Amino acid sequence: MTAFREDGHLSDGALAALARNEDIFEELERLEIAEHLAFCDYCLERYTLALEDGALLIPEHSCQKTLWPRIRSRAIRLVTSRYATAAAAVTLALTVLWGGTGVELGRPVLPEDRPSVSRRLTELTGDISDSLRGTMGGISDFFDGFRPSRFS
């Protein structure tokens, strides 16, 4: 059986054999058919129509009943984790802002309280930057021992 017609398209017999999954073609012919189907929309449409007549496989069980609940629970987890992260960030910011001495939750921050709050934040950031400098210096000293010498 010839796979191609004289006009270059696949023959009806070749398309029917492909649709029935018959192994009548050699390796080179199968590669040529696959390449032709990849580029020729006309033959691909004819091949699709030939496949429509075949028997459809029916799955043993439907995944629809298990898939939708999984999608819903995943969406709920994503939304709640985003809101939980935002709530934690707001809580942390409010704790840092109002956690200092002399500032109470029920009382608004008055202009005379602002220097003490600002002084407290400056002290806090100074302590953090000092500890960060010490840590980075220790890491730098550790890696200095691995630096190759130029004159060795």
Side-chain angles (χ1 to χ4, degrees), residues 109-143:
V109 177
L110 300 173
E112 57 267 10
D113 292 337
R114 287 190 184 150
S116 65
V117 171
S118 130
R119 189 171 39 256
R120 174 82 173 140
L121 287 175
T122 304
E123 291 171 2
L124 187 63
T125 56
D127 292 344
I128 291 172
S129 64
D130 289 342
S131 65
L132 185 61
R133 271 193 220 97
T135 303
M136 293 307 288
I139 291 173
S140 177
D141 292 343
F142 175 75
F143 283 111

PDB file of all heavy atoms in Angstrom, residues 109-143:
ATOM      1  N   VAL A 109      -0.908  58.789  69.603  1.00  0.00           N
ATOM      2  CA  VAL A 109       0.462  59.279  69.716  1.00  0.00           C
ATOM      3  C   VAL A 109       0.417  60.798  69.602  1.00  0.00           C
ATOM      4  O   VAL A 109      -0.005  61.358  68.595  1.00  0.00           O
ATOM      5  CB  VAL A 109       1.348  58.678  68.605  1.00  0.00           C
ATOM      6  CG1 VAL A 109       2.748  59.249  68.688  1.00  0.00           C
ATOM      7  CG2 VAL A 109       1.371  57.174  68.712  1.00  0.00           C
ATOM      8  N   LEU A 110       0.837  61.449  70.654  1.00  0.00           N
ATOM      9  CA  LEU A 110       0.833  62.911  70.705  1.00  0.00           C
ATOM     10  C   LEU A 110       2.160  63.443  70.185  1.00  0.00           C
ATOM     11  O   LEU A 110       3.163  62.716  70.160  1.00  0.00           O
ATOM     12  CB  LEU A 110       0.591  63.381  72.142  1.00  0.00           C
ATOM     13  CG  LEU A 110      -0.741  62.907  72.752  1.00  0.00           C
ATOM     14  CD1 LEU A 110      -0.787  63.278  74.224  1.00  0.00           C
ATOM     15  CD2 LEU A 110      -1.910  63.500  72.009  1.00  0.00           C
ATOM     16  N   PRO A 111       2.188  64.706  69.773  1.00  0.00           N
ATOM     17  CA  PRO A 111       3.452  65.265  69.273  1.00  0.00           C
ATOM     18  C   PRO A 111       4.584  65.174  70.280  1.00  0.00           C
ATOM     19  O   PRO A 111       5.731  64.983  69.905  1.00  0.00           O
ATOM     20  CB  PRO A 111       3.101  66.714  68.948  1.00  0.00           C
ATOM     21  CG  PRO A 111       1.634  66.715  68.731  1.00  0.00           C
ATOM     22  CD  PRO A 111       1.086  65.632  69.598  1.00  0.00           C
ATOM     23  N   GLU A 112       4.287  65.287  71.577  1.00  0.00           N
ATOM     24  CA  GLU A 112       5.363  65.206  72.562  1.00  0.00           C
ATOM     25  C   GLU A 112       5.879  63.776  72.740  1.00  0.00           C
ATOM     26  O   GLU A 112       6.960  63.554  73.265  1.00  0.00           O
ATOM     27  CB  GLU A 112       4.938  65.785  73.918  1.00  0.00           C
ATOM     28  CG  GLU A 112       3.718  65.138  74.529  1.00  0.00           C
ATOM     29  CD  GLU A 112       2.429  65.853  74.166  1.00  0.00           C
ATOM     30  OE1 GLU A 112       2.441  66.734  73.286  1.00  0.00           O
ATOM     31  OE2 GLU A 112       1.399  65.512  74.744  1.00  0.00           O
ATOM     32  N   ASP A 113       5.095  62.766  72.299  1.00  0.00           N
ATOM     33  CA  ASP A 113       5.537  61.377  72.374  1.00  0.00           C
ATOM     34  C   ASP A 113       6.409  60.982  71.188  1.00  0.00           C
ATOM     35  O   ASP A 113       7.133  59.992  71.263  1.00  0.00           O
ATOM     36  CB  ASP A 113       4.337  60.421  72.420  1.00  0.00           C
ATOM     37  CG  ASP A 113       3.564  60.534  73.714  1.00  0.00           C
ATOM     38  OD1 ASP A 113       4.159  60.985  74.708  1.00  0.00           O
ATOM     39  OD2 ASP A 113       2.368  60.168  73.711  1.00  0.00           O
ATOM     40  N   ARG A 114       6.340  61.692  70.126  1.00  0.00           N
ATOM     41  CA  ARG A 114       7.049  61.313  68.899  1.00  0.00           C
ATOM     42  C   ARG A 114       8.559  61.252  69.083  1.00  0.00           C
ATOM     43  O   ARG A 114       9.194  60.339  68.574  1.00  0.00           O
ATOM     44  CB  ARG A 114       6.668  62.249  67.760  1.00  0.00           C
ATOM     45  CG  ARG A 114       5.266  61.981  67.280  1.00  0.00           C
ATOM     46  CD  ARG A 114       4.944  62.703  66.025  1.00  0.00           C
ATOM     47  NE  ARG A 114       3.547  62.453  65.694  1.00  0.00           N
ATOM     48  CZ  ARG A 114       2.792  63.282  65.062  1.00  0.00           C
ATOM     49  NH1 ARG A 114       3.280  64.446  64.665  1.00  0.00           N
ATOM     50  NH2 ARG A 114       1.548  62.989  64.797  1.00  0.00           N
ATOM     51  N   PRO A 115       9.198  62.169  69.800  1.00  0.00           N
ATOM     52  CA  PRO A 115      10.647  62.020  69.958  1.00  0.00           C
ATOM     53  C   PRO A 115      11.027  60.742  70.698  1.00  0.00           C
ATOM     54  O   PRO A 115      12.007  60.089  70.347  1.00  0.00           O
ATOM     55  CB  PRO A 115      11.052  63.261  70.764  1.00  0.00           C
ATOM     56  CG  PRO A 115       9.991  64.255  70.489  1.00  0.00           C
ATOM     57  CD  PRO A 115       8.729  63.463  70.290  1.00  0.00           C
ATOM     58  N   SER A 116      10.224  60.334  71.684  1.00  0.00           N
ATOM     59  CA  SER A 116      10.580  59.118  72.422  1.00  0.00           C
ATOM     60  C   SER A 116      10.400  57.881  71.536  1.00  0.00           C
ATOM     61  O   SER A 116      11.201  56.951  71.590  1.00  0.00           O
ATOM     62  CB  SER A 116       9.757  58.995  73.700  1.00  0.00           C
ATOM     63  OG  SER A 116       8.386  58.823  73.390  1.00  0.00           O
ATOM     64  N   VAL A 117       9.350  57.869  70.719  1.00  0.00           N
ATOM     65  CA  VAL A 117       9.131  56.746  69.792  1.00  0.00           C
ATOM     66  C   VAL A 117      10.243  56.709  68.771  1.00  0.00           C
ATOM     67  O   VAL A 117      10.817  55.660  68.472  1.00  0.00           O
ATOM     68  CB  VAL A 117       7.737  56.862  69.122  1.00  0.00           C
ATOM     69  CG1 VAL A 117       7.597  55.835  68.019  1.00  0.00           C
ATOM     70  CG2 VAL A 117       6.638  56.708  70.143  1.00  0.00           C
ATOM     71  N   SER A 118      10.590  57.862  68.240  1.00  0.00           N
ATOM     72  CA  SER A 118      11.645  57.917  67.233  1.00  0.00           C
ATOM     73  C   SER A 118      12.984  57.545  67.838  1.00  0.00           C
ATOM     74  O   SER A 118      13.792  56.863  67.211  1.00  0.00           O
ATOM     75  CB  SER A 118      11.641  59.303  66.608  1.00  0.00           C
ATOM     76  OG  SER A 118      12.866  59.875  66.588  1.00  0.00           O
ATOM     77  N   ARG A 119      13.263  57.961  69.074  1.00  0.00           N
ATOM     78  CA  ARG A 119      14.510  57.602  69.747  1.00  0.00           C
ATOM     79  C   ARG A 119      14.553  56.088  69.978  1.00  0.00           C
ATOM     80  O   ARG A 119      15.577  55.447  69.772  1.00  0.00           O
ATOM     81  CB  ARG A 119      14.610  58.366  71.073  1.00  0.00           C
ATOM     82  CG  ARG A 119      15.932  58.252  71.758  1.00  0.00           C
ATOM     83  CD  ARG A 119      16.104  59.190  72.951  1.00  0.00           C
ATOM     84  NE  ARG A 119      14.920  59.355  73.793  1.00  0.00           N
ATOM     85  CZ  ARG A 119      14.120  60.440  73.788  1.00  0.00           C
ATOM     86  NH1 ARG A 119      14.387  61.445  72.991  1.00  0.00           N
ATOM     87  NH2 ARG A 119      13.072  60.515  74.578  1.00  0.00           N
ATOM     88  N   ARG A 120      13.428  55.497  70.335  1.00  0.00           N
ATOM     89  CA  ARG A 120      13.354  54.057  70.582  1.00  0.00           C
ATOM     90  C   ARG A 120      13.619  53.283  69.285  1.00  0.00           C
ATOM     91  O   ARG A 120      14.358  52.296  69.282  1.00  0.00           O
ATOM     92  CB  ARG A 120      11.961  53.713  71.142  1.00  0.00           C
ATOM     93  CG  ARG A 120      11.693  52.271  71.313  1.00  0.00           C
ATOM     94  CD  ARG A 120      12.273  51.758  72.590  1.00  0.00           C
ATOM     95  NE  ARG A 120      11.831  50.385  72.772  1.00  0.00           N
ATOM     96  CZ  ARG A 120      12.583  49.432  73.219  1.00  0.00           C
ATOM     97  NH1 ARG A 120      13.801  49.687  73.612  1.00  0.00           N
ATOM     98  NH2 ARG A 120      12.119  48.214  73.325  1.00  0.00           N
ATOM     99  N   LEU A 121      13.032  53.727  68.175  1.00  0.00           N
ATOM    100  CA  LEU A 121      13.266  53.066  66.889  1.00  0.00           C
ATOM    101  C   LEU A 121      14.718  53.215  66.461  1.00  0.00           C
ATOM    102  O   LEU A 121      15.312  52.291  65.905  1.00  0.00           O
ATOM    103  CB  LEU A 121      12.321  53.630  65.821  1.00  0.00           C
ATOM    104  CG  LEU A 121      10.860  53.200  65.933  1.00  0.00           C
ATOM    105  CD1 LEU A 121      10.020  53.931  64.894  1.00  0.00           C
ATOM    106  CD2 LEU A 121      10.724  51.711  65.764  1.00  0.00           C
ATOM    107  N   THR A 122      15.327  54.378  66.703  1.00  0.00           N
ATOM    108  CA  THR A 122      16.730  54.591  66.345  1.00  0.00           C
ATOM    109  C   THR A 122      17.629  53.655  67.154  1.00  0.00           C
ATOM    110  O   THR A 122      18.573  53.065  66.615  1.00  0.00           O
ATOM    111  CB  THR A 122      17.123  56.065  66.596  1.00  0.00           C
ATOM    112  OG1 THR A 122      16.244  56.898  65.876  1.00  0.00           O
ATOM    113  CG2 THR A 122      18.543  56.326  66.164  1.00  0.00           C
ATOM    114  N   GLU A 123      17.351  53.511  68.444  1.00  0.00           N
ATOM    115  CA  GLU A 123      18.130  52.594  69.276  1.00  0.00           C
ATOM    116  C   GLU A 123      17.985  51.160  68.775  1.00  0.00           C
ATOM    117  O   GLU A 123      18.961  50.405  68.712  1.00  0.00           O
ATOM    118  CB  GLU A 123      17.671  52.687  70.732  1.00  0.00           C
ATOM    119  CG  GLU A 123      18.005  53.979  71.415  1.00  0.00           C
ATOM    120  CD  GLU A 123      17.327  54.100  72.770  1.00  0.00           C
ATOM    121  OE1 GLU A 123      16.631  53.138  73.178  1.00  0.00           O
ATOM    122  OE2 GLU A 123      17.480  55.151  73.408  1.00  0.00           O
ATOM    123  N   LEU A 124      16.756  50.790  68.425  1.00  0.00           N
ATOM    124  CA  LEU A 124      16.491  49.435  67.960  1.00  0.00           C
ATOM    125  C   LEU A 124      17.228  49.145  66.659  1.00  0.00           C
ATOM    126  O   LEU A 124      17.873  48.110  66.515  1.00  0.00           O
ATOM    127  CB  LEU A 124      14.980  49.227  67.786  1.00  0.00           C
ATOM    128  CG  LEU A 124      14.501  47.826  67.458  1.00  0.00           C
ATOM    129  CD1 LEU A 124      14.841  46.879  68.588  1.00  0.00           C
ATOM    130  CD2 LEU A 124      13.009  47.824  67.203  1.00  0.00           C
ATOM    131  N   THR A 125      17.167  50.072  65.698  1.00  0.00           N
ATOM    132  CA  THR A 125      17.855  49.850  64.418  1.00  0.00           C
ATOM    133  C   THR A 125      19.360  49.897  64.602  1.00  0.00           C
ATOM    134  O   THR A 125      20.101  49.202  63.911  1.00  0.00           O
ATOM    135  CB  THR A 125      17.424  50.885  63.363  1.00  0.00           C
ATOM    136  OG1 THR A 125      17.656  52.191  63.871  1.00  0.00           O
ATOM    137  CG2 THR A 125      15.976  50.704  62.981  1.00  0.00           C
ATOM    138  N   GLY A 126      19.859  50.704  65.557  1.00  0.00           N
ATOM    139  CA  GLY A 126      21.295  50.728  65.835  1.00  0.00           C
ATOM    140  C   GLY A 126      21.777  49.398  66.369  1.00  0.00           C
ATOM    141  O   GLY A 126      22.839  48.900  65.983  1.00  0.00           O
ATOM    142  N   ASP A 127      21.003  48.786  67.282  1.00  0.00           N
ATOM    143  CA  ASP A 127      21.370  47.477  67.821  1.00  0.00           C
ATOM    144  C   ASP A 127      21.385  46.427  66.723  1.00  0.00           C
ATOM    145  O   ASP A 127      22.275  45.579  66.663  1.00  0.00           O
ATOM    146  CB  ASP A 127      20.389  47.049  68.915  1.00  0.00           C
ATOM    147  CG  ASP A 127      20.495  47.917  70.167  1.00  0.00           C
ATOM    148  OD1 ASP A 127      21.521  48.622  70.298  1.00  0.00           O
ATOM    149  OD2 ASP A 127      19.542  47.896  70.978  1.00  0.00           O
ATOM    150  N   ILE A 128      20.404  46.485  65.838  1.00  0.00           N
ATOM    151  CA  ILE A 128      20.331  45.512  64.742  1.00  0.00           C
ATOM    152  C   ILE A 128      21.506  45.691  63.797  1.00  0.00           C
ATOM    153  O   ILE A 128      22.149  44.720  63.397  1.00  0.00           O
ATOM    154  CB  ILE A 128      18.989  45.634  63.990  1.00  0.00           C
ATOM    155  CG1 ILE A 128      17.849  45.168  64.885  1.00  0.00           C
ATOM    156  CG2 ILE A 128      19.001  44.829  62.696  1.00  0.00           C
ATOM    157  CD1 ILE A 128      16.473  45.421  64.311  1.00  0.00           C
ATOM    158  N   SER A 129      21.831  46.940  63.449  1.00  0.00           N
ATOM    159  CA  SER A 129      22.935  47.157  62.508  1.00  0.00           C
ATOM    160  C   SER A 129      24.265  46.770  63.131  1.00  0.00           C
ATOM    161  O   SER A 129      25.146  46.255  62.443  1.00  0.00           O
ATOM    162  CB  SER A 129      22.950  48.604  62.019  1.00  0.00           C
ATOM    163  OG  SER A 129      23.210  49.481  63.091  1.00  0.00           O
ATOM    164  N   ASP A 130      24.454  46.984  64.452  1.00  0.00           N
ATOM    165  CA  ASP A 130      25.694  46.568  65.103  1.00  0.00           C
ATOM    166  C   ASP A 130      25.846  45.054  65.079  1.00  0.00           C
ATOM    167  O   ASP A 130      26.926  44.540  64.773  1.00  0.00           O
ATOM    168  CB  ASP A 130      25.726  47.065  66.555  1.00  0.00           C
ATOM    169  CG  ASP A 130      25.917  48.569  66.647  1.00  0.00           C
ATOM    170  OD1 ASP A 130      26.360  49.169  65.642  1.00  0.00           O
ATOM    171  OD2 ASP A 130      25.604  49.133  67.716  1.00  0.00           O
ATOM    172  N   SER A 131      24.769  44.341  65.381  1.00  0.00           N
ATOM    173  CA  SER A 131      24.860  42.874  65.369  1.00  0.00           C
ATOM    174  C   SER A 131      25.059  42.356  63.948  1.00  0.00           C
ATOM    175  O   SER A 131      25.776  41.379  63.731  1.00  0.00           O
ATOM    176  CB  SER A 131      23.628  42.250  66.005  1.00  0.00           C
ATOM    177  OG  SER A 131      22.477  42.527  65.235  1.00  0.00           O
ATOM    178  N   LEU A 132      24.465  43.021  62.962  1.00  0.00           N
ATOM    179  CA  LEU A 132      24.653  42.617  61.569  1.00  0.00           C
ATOM    180  C   LEU A 132      26.097  42.850  61.133  1.00  0.00           C
ATOM    181  O   LEU A 132      26.689  42.005  60.465  1.00  0.00           O
ATOM    182  CB  LEU A 132      23.679  43.380  60.663  1.00  0.00           C
ATOM    183  CG  LEU A 132      23.662  43.006  59.199  1.00  0.00           C
ATOM    184  CD1 LEU A 132      23.262  41.536  59.047  1.00  0.00           C
ATOM    185  CD2 LEU A 132      22.718  43.882  58.425  1.00  0.00           C
ATOM    186  N   ARG A 133      26.673  44.004  61.527  1.00  0.00           N
ATOM    187  CA  ARG A 133      28.075  44.267  61.189  1.00  0.00           C
ATOM    188  C   ARG A 133      28.996  43.220  61.817  1.00  0.00           C
ATOM    189  O   ARG A 133      29.939  42.751  61.194  1.00  0.00           O
ATOM    190  CB  ARG A 133      28.471  45.661  61.678  1.00  0.00           C
ATOM    191  CG  ARG A 133      28.226  46.731  60.674  1.00  0.00           C
ATOM    192  CD  ARG A 133      28.929  48.031  61.065  1.00  0.00           C
ATOM    193  NE  ARG A 133      28.048  49.131  60.757  1.00  0.00           N
ATOM    194  CZ  ARG A 133      27.236  49.747  61.606  1.00  0.00           C
ATOM    195  NH1 ARG A 133      27.230  49.427  62.870  1.00  0.00           N
ATOM    196  NH2 ARG A 133      26.439  50.710  61.216  1.00  0.00           N
ATOM    197  N   GLY A 134      28.723  42.838  63.051  1.00  0.00           N
ATOM    198  CA  GLY A 134      29.547  41.828  63.719  1.00  0.00           C
ATOM    199  C   GLY A 134      29.454  40.482  63.034  1.00  0.00           C
ATOM    200  O   GLY A 134      30.460  39.798  62.842  1.00  0.00           O
ATOM    201  N   THR A 135      28.249  40.108  62.628  1.00  0.00           N
ATOM    202  CA  THR A 135      28.064  38.829  61.951  1.00  0.00           C
ATOM    203  C   THR A 135      28.771  38.821  60.602  1.00  0.00           C
ATOM    204  O   THR A 135      29.475  37.862  60.264  1.00  0.00           O
ATOM    205  CB  THR A 135      26.559  38.549  61.742  1.00  0.00           C
ATOM    206  OG1 THR A 135      25.911  38.588  63.006  1.00  0.00           O
ATOM    207  CG2 THR A 135      26.335  37.213  61.081  1.00  0.00           C
ATOM    208  N   MET A 136      28.608  39.885  59.843  1.00  0.00           N
ATOM    209  CA  MET A 136      29.245  39.949  58.519  1.00  0.00           C
ATOM    210  C   MET A 136      30.763  39.991  58.652  1.00  0.00           C
ATOM    211  O   MET A 136      31.490  39.411  57.842  1.00  0.00           O
ATOM    212  CB  MET A 136      28.744  41.157  57.734  1.00  0.00           C
ATOM    213  CG  MET A 136      27.276  41.060  57.345  1.00  0.00           C
ATOM    214  SD  MET A 136      26.873  39.548  56.477  1.00  0.00           S
ATOM    215  CE  MET A 136      27.646  39.853  54.922  1.00  0.00           C
ATOM    216  N   GLY A 137      31.271  40.671  59.681  1.00  0.00           N
ATOM    217  CA  GLY A 137      32.717  40.701  59.904  1.00  0.00           C
ATOM    218  C   GLY A 137      33.240  39.314  60.228  1.00  0.00           C
ATOM    219  O   GLY A 137      34.313  38.920  59.753  1.00  0.00           O
ATOM    220  N   GLY A 138      32.499  38.554  61.034  1.00  0.00           N
ATOM    221  CA  GLY A 138      32.910  37.188  61.357  1.00  0.00           C
ATOM    222  C   GLY A 138      32.919  36.296  60.130  1.00  0.00           C
ATOM    223  O   GLY A 138      33.833  35.495  59.946  1.00  0.00           O
ATOM    224  N   ILE A 139      31.928  36.454  59.276  1.00  0.00           N
ATOM    225  CA  ILE A 139      31.875  35.656  58.040  1.00  0.00           C
ATOM    226  C   ILE A 139      33.034  36.032  57.129  1.00  0.00           C
ATOM    227  O   ILE A 139      33.695  35.183  56.540  1.00  0.00           O
ATOM    228  CB  ILE A 139      30.516  35.847  57.335  1.00  0.00           C
ATOM    229  CG1 ILE A 139      29.414  35.197  58.164  1.00  0.00           C
ATOM    230  CG2 ILE A 139      30.541  35.250  55.933  1.00  0.00           C
ATOM    231  CD1 ILE A 139      28.019  35.474  57.650  1.00  0.00           C
ATOM    232  N   SER A 140      33.324  37.342  57.040  1.00  0.00           N
ATOM    233  CA  SER A 140      34.438  37.803  56.206  1.00  0.00           C
ATOM    234  C   SER A 140      35.759  37.273  56.730  1.00  0.00           C
ATOM    235  O   SER A 140      36.619  36.829  55.958  1.00  0.00           O
ATOM    236  CB  SER A 140      34.448  39.327  56.165  1.00  0.00           C
ATOM    237  OG  SER A 140      35.547  39.788  55.433  1.00  0.00           O
ATOM    238  N   ASP A 141      35.960  37.293  58.048  1.00  0.00           N
ATOM    239  CA  ASP A 141      37.192  36.757  58.632  1.00  0.00           C
ATOM    240  C   ASP A 141      37.318  35.265  58.371  1.00  0.00           C
ATOM    241  O   ASP A 141      38.424  34.760  58.129  1.00  0.00           O
ATOM    242  CB  ASP A 141      37.221  37.025  60.142  1.00  0.00           C
ATOM    243  CG  ASP A 141      37.354  38.511  60.454  1.00  0.00           C
ATOM    244  OD1 ASP A 141      37.748  39.274  59.545  1.00  0.00           O
ATOM    245  OD2 ASP A 141      37.032  38.902  61.598  1.00  0.00           O
ATOM    246  N   PHE A 142      36.211  34.553  58.425  1.00  0.00           N
ATOM    247  CA  PHE A 142      36.237  33.117  58.174  1.00  0.00           C
ATOM    248  C   PHE A 142      36.710  32.818  56.756  1.00  0.00           C
ATOM    249  O   PHE A 142      37.546  31.953  56.541  1.00  0.00           O
ATOM    250  CB  PHE A 142      34.843  32.527  58.405  1.00  0.00           C
ATOM    251  CG  PHE A 142      34.738  31.073  58.050  1.00  0.00           C
ATOM    252  CD1 PHE A 142      35.277  30.101  58.874  1.00  0.00           C
ATOM    253  CD2 PHE A 142      34.096  30.677  56.883  1.00  0.00           C
ATOM    254  CE1 PHE A 142      35.170  28.763  58.556  1.00  0.00           C
ATOM    255  CE2 PHE A 142      33.990  29.339  56.559  1.00  0.00           C
ATOM    256  CZ  PHE A 142      34.538  28.383  57.403  1.00  0.00           C
ATOM    257  N   PHE A 143      36.191  33.568  55.777  1.00  0.00           N
ATOM    258  CA  PHE A 143      36.550  33.298  54.390  1.00  0.00           C
ATOM    259  C   PHE A 143      37.914  33.881  54.005  1.00  0.00           C
ATOM    260  O   PHE A 143      38.462  33.519  52.980  1.00  0.00           O
ATOM    261  CB  PHE A 143      35.469  33.810  53.439  1.00  0.00           C
ATOM    262  CG  PHE A 143      34.259  32.924  53.387  1.00  0.00           C
ATOM    263  CD1 PHE A 143      33.044  33.344  53.903  1.00  0.00           C
ATOM    264  CD2 PHE A 143      34.338  31.653  52.853  1.00  0.00           C
ATOM    265  CE1 PHE A 143      31.941  32.527  53.874  1.00  0.00           C
ATOM    266  CE2 PHE A 143      33.243  30.822  52.820  1.00  0.00           C
ATOM    267  CZ  PHE A 143      32.040  31.263  53.336  1.00  0.00           C
TER     268      PHE A 143
END
